[in-house]
Amino acid sequence: MTITSDVHAAVAPSDRADRIGRGLAAFASLATVGAFADGIIRMTDAADDRLWVEAWRTITYAFFIGLFALLAARPRQAAGIWELALAGKTALVVFAVIVGDIPEARLAGMVDFALVVVVALAYVLTRGWLAWQPGTTDPTRGDTAVASEERTSSPAPDLRPPVAG
């Protein structure tokens, strides 16, 4: 095993932590399906002056369903995606606190807070920050296969474009 493999093996999550983290990300995706279904109902009942806002919100739910599903499938190959999802949901929680006397903001803020907690736990358990390390184009880098020494000892190929001389 090379030094590079030893470093990756030391930071890769355990199989159990990885499964739990991926399960939490998948749960976030499935939970968002409920919000998407509610959004469709709201769209059908929306007045003309609210239709665009309800459609935008509903389409955004669909976006987050896919986003969380991708994070569940490939948690260490999504540099920046975890952080964007957490930042966006955290901003909504902060805004809900600021305008907290609005009934819709209270409920949405609580739901988004729960999502922040679930997604943050998934990020920590899967060690999603490993996506930022060099070599993330190698689909096995940082995966649980590394922890169980199933990966070959050869380093990941350098896939950067050549520099013109």
Side-chain angles (χ1 to χ4, degrees), residues 95-103 105-106:
F95 189 71
V97 169
I98 291 169
V99 297
D101 58 343
I102 300 171
R106 269 183 258 146

Side-chain angles (χ1 to χ4, degrees), residues 86-163:
L86 285 167
K89 289 297 178 184
T90 300
L92 288 170
V93 171
V94 169
F95 189 71
V97 169
I98 291 169
V99 297
D101 58 343
I102 300 171
E104 188 175 348
R106 269 183 258 146
L107 177 60
M110 288 187 288
V111 170
D112 282 329
F113 178 74
L115 270 175
V116 166
V117 170
V118 167
V119 173
L121 281 171
Y123 179 71
V124 169
L125 288 168
T126 63
R127 298 191 179 180
W129 61 86
L130 292 177
W132 289 100
Q133 291 186 351
T136 57
T137 56
D138 178 2
T140 62
R141 201 232 20 89
D143 261 340
T144 56
V146 175
S148 61
E149 298 184 28
E150 294 174 13
R151 183 172 175 205
T152 63
S153 62
S154 61
D158 185 1
L159 299 176
R160 294 176 293 182
V163 177

Side-chain angles (χ1 to χ4, degrees), residues 1-152:
M1 188 177 276
T2 65
I3 292 172
T4 304
S5 295
D6 289 340
V7 169
H8 287 185
V11 295
S14 70
D15 286 341
R16 182 176 182 190
D18 190 58
R19 275 194 308 270
I20 293 169
R22 287 175 186 247
L24 288 171
F27 172 77
S29 181
L30 292 174
T32 308
V33 170
F36 178 75
D38 181 61
I40 290 175
I41 292 168
R42 287 176 183 259
M43 281 177 57
T44 60
D45 293 339
D48 289 345
D49 63 334
R50 295 272 312 159
L51 185 58
W52 171 256
V53 173
E54 295 301 336
W56 182 85
R57 181 185 357 202
T58 302
I59 292 166
T60 302
Y61 290 142
F63 171 81
F64 272 97
I65 291 167
L67 188 74
F68 293 141
L70 287 171
L71 290 173
R74 300 177 59 107
R76 288 169 299 282
Q77 287 81 41
I81 303 301
W82 285 106
E83 294 83 1
L84 281 171
L86 285 167
K89 289 297 178 184
T90 300
L92 288 170
V93 171
V94 169
F95 189 71
V97 169
I98 291 169
V99 297
D101 58 343
I102 300 171
E104 188 175 348
R106 269 183 258 146
L107 177 60
M110 288 187 288
V111 170
D112 282 329
F113 178 74
L115 270 175
V116 166
V117 170
V118 167
V119 173
L121 281 171
Y123 179 71
V124 169
L125 288 168
T126 63
R127 298 191 179 180
W129 61 86
L130 292 177
W132 289 100
Q133 291 186 351
T136 57
T137 56
D138 178 2
T140 62
R141 201 232 20 89
D143 261 340
T144 56
V146 175
S148 61
E149 298 184 28
E150 294 174 13
R151 183 172 175 205
T152 63

